[in-house]
Amino acid sequence: MVLVQAHGETDGANAVDYKGNPVDKTRTGGWLAAGLILGAELSERVCVMGISMNLVTYLVHDLHLTSSKSATVVTNFMGTLNLLALLGGFLADAKLGRYLTVAIFSSVTAVGVIMLTMATTIRSMIPPQCDDYKRKHHECIEATGQQLALLYAALYTIALGGGGIKSNVSGFGSDQFDTSDPKEEKSMIFFFNRFYFCISMGSLFAVTVLVYIQDHVGRGWGYGISAGTMVIAVIVLFSGTKRYRYKKPQGSPLTVIWRVLILAVKNKSVPHPPHPSLLNEYHNSEVPHTERFRCLDKAAIVDDFAAADGSKPNSWVVSTVTQVEEVKMVIKLVPIWSTCILFWTIYSQMTTFTIEQATFMNRHIGTFNIPPGSFSFFLIFTILLFTSLNERIFVPMARKLTHTTQGLTSLQRVGIGLVFSILAMVASAVVEKRRRDMAHQQIVISAFWLVPQFFLVGAGEAFAYVGQLEFFIREAPERMKSMSTGFFLSAISMGFFVSSLLVTLVDNVSQHKWFRSNLNRGKLDRFYWILVVLGLINFLGFLVFAMRHQYKVVQQFSGPNQSQEKELSSWGINEEQEYNKEKTEAKGEVLV
């Protein structure tokens, strides 16, 4: 489950109506406009959760793909969806604005779900049915590339649309409230609570009602309901066009980052100036200059011609010290980002192998047979439970113990989440070993033995998700809050892709013996133990990076301090002339 906080400016001063005029608060924005926007996210959650939590069973049992290939399809789909959130955020910030981006990508999602409905109902897109005898003797006919083509096209169309919605819908919703107005500021706080509630309810509906319809009525009906929901959401979104408040695109911070990196590489042979005060807009920098990642300072070396006439250099010719330091701050987040990836690799198992395990277990309550995908209910329920417990019990308790207003720091939350994820894989390995041993004795154990691993991963997400999101938003540069959200989503994306990579590697190394369509013949528990070992190594790395990390401190900076003034006076005209000579020679070599 993914919740994306709003970012960017939230004051009403920059808001306009659909005609580009200053907004009339009595006619635009507020709860009605925000409610219409929430429909898009609610529908996106219904579609994505309804697909991801039950897709693996369709791939294995209807299309006859192997367990490893099926898991890879699901994790690649989810990884791509979260990665494309970066594209959606970039387009909104750089050119389209949030409204157009949400509207376009919601329509794309609707098209994708309609395609998925067709892929699962057109008879020629599905291989012949396979009975138990054929399955046992490996005589099932696997879906061909031509049959899978429409399915893959549908999934990645949904991923494209979902990524664009995910990265912008919460921000567009928050744009409907003016934080300079105390009444509207209070409403915006409630908006985030209701936003979270909506996506949670959408997820619960997807893994209970929708999954049941897919398994017992038909995939076409299940995905058809999702498609209808998405189409209605698009219509509702467009119906509120005149009521929305809009913010004009301010440019993407990704452009700034690429520009700094490109200029630093371009000027790699140019010598560093004798003192950083020679860097572009050093004295007007909004962020203090630092010596870390000093190679990036070369992006702020002033062009000779611009320096000669005193004009403001072009941003594609030279960056400012502020921009360089902001990029340094982003790079500083990379070590923690890298250790967050494995949590989402473990989380992805809840949508693949854990669901597949449930198909080989007793899922009956009386005469009612619970669909395998519906066991994700315990994951979502635990997330909501621990989110509430964190707010009401754990954080207040931590505040009393630590005597701080924050209670648990963001990195402490992440660390707790990582520990929960490791324990979840231990539980998964133990339960799978027990399940397979009992199956060999012709005993089918209850699927409720899977609840502990859902519980532990859900509890871990309640800590890790909030901790990661808070860390990336708080520690990112002030003008790169939207980019920091995308950075967080990219960690989730990489987690799913790493899962695909691990499954492929382990499947090849084990000579296809660990992952079998019939899990009773495989060794899935050994894969879980590999994740336990990787989790422990990753956790140790996280501890090292976390202890070395220095939290960002908001500083007021107005040029060089006294010690820097003394240093400035220690180097004279000769040093500056020598430096300019070396710089000119270096630039000449670059041109050649």
Side-chain angles (χ1 to χ4, degrees), residues 1 3 38 41-42 45 190-205 380 384 387:
M1 179 183 304
L3 168 66
L38 281 178
E41 178 61 17
L42 175 63
R45 284 293 87 196
F190 283 110
F191 165 78
F192 287 114
N193 292 335
R194 295 177 187 182
F195 177 79
Y196 191 81
F197 177 80
C198 277
I199 65 174
S200 300
M201 292 305 297
S203 299
L204 285 174
F205 174 79
I380 299 168
L384 293 175
T387 300

Side-chain angles (χ1 to χ4, degrees), residues 77 105 107-109 111-113 115 152-162:
F77 163 66
F105 284 90
S107 303
V108 170
T109 303
V111 172
V113 185
M115 292 169 62
Y152 287 159
L155 289 177
Y156 287 102
T157 301
I158 295 170
L160 175 61

Side-chain angles (χ1 to χ4, degrees), residues 82-93:
N82 285 285
L83 187 63
L84 287 173
L86 287 172
L87 173 63
F90 174 81
L91 290 176
D93 289 341

Side-chain angles (χ1 to χ4, degrees), residues 117-129:
T117 304
M118 296 170 59
T120 54
T121 53
I122 298 175
R123 190 62 247 173
S124 60
M125 294 291 104
I126 306 171
Q129 291 185 353

Side-chain angles (χ1 to χ4, degrees), residues 7 99 165 170 279 385 403 528 576 592:
H7 50 263
Y99 167 72
I165 296 172
S170 61
L279 298 175
L385 174 63
H403 303 289
Y528 287 145
E576 183 175 2
V592 172

Side-chain angles (χ1 to χ4, degrees), residues 247-424:
K247 300 288 181 66
K248 295 180 179 180
Q250 300 295 317
S252 174
L254 287 175
T255 305
V256 175
I257 294 174
W258 282 115
R259 194 161 55 209
V260 168
L261 295 177
I262 291 172
L263 289 174
V265 173
K266 180 181 177 182
N267 295 336
K268 63 181 180 180
S269 60
V270 177
H272 285 281
H275 192 274
S277 62
L278 289 175
L279 298 175
N280 185 34
E281 296 191 20
Y282 171 81
H283 296 285
N284 297 324
S285 176
E286 300 174 13
V287 184
H289 177 266
T290 61
E291 290 297 319
R292 65 189 177 199
F293 308 118
R294 191 163 176 257
C295 59
L296 294 180
D297 287 346
K298 293 190 175 185
I301 294 178
V302 183
D303 180 82
D304 294 333
F305 297 104
D309 61 15
S311 62
K312 186 176 181 180
N314 186 298
S315 58
W316 281 103
V317 174
V318 59
S319 300
T320 65
V321 170
T322 298
Q323 293 168 342
V324 170
E325 290 301 322
E326 287 177 338
V327 174
K328 290 181 181 181
M329 292 169 68
V330 172
I331 294 176
K332 184 182 173 185
L333 304 179
V334 172
I336 298 297
W337 174 86
S338 65
T339 54
C340 291
I341 291 173
L342 197 68
F343 175 86
W344 299 106
T345 298
I346 292 174
Y347 174 89
S348 69
Q349 308 314 310
M350 300 301 104
T351 65
T352 54
F353 289 123
T354 301
I355 302 299
E356 184 63 13
Q357 282 177 272
T359 65
F360 289 86
M361 303 172 80
N362 181 9
R363 295 175 277 110
H364 285 87
I365 298 181
T367 58
F368 180 72
N369 190 24
I370 303 174
S374 292
F375 277 86
S376 302
F377 165 84
F378 294 104
L379 175 68
I380 299 168
F381 174 78
T382 305
I383 293 170
L384 293 175
L385 174 63
F386 270 81
T387 300
S388 178
L389 290 176
N390 281 343
E391 182 179 345
R392 297 175 182 272
I393 298 178
F394 299 142
V395 172
M397 187 183 299
R399 286 172 180 165
K400 291 181 180 180
L401 292 175
T402 60
H403 303 289
T404 61
T405 56
Q406 193 174 7
L408 293 173
T409 66
S410 56
L411 291 181
Q412 286 171 342
R413 292 173 188 262
V414 175
I416 293 171
L418 291 177
V419 171
F420 270 118
S421 69
I422 296 170
L423 295 176

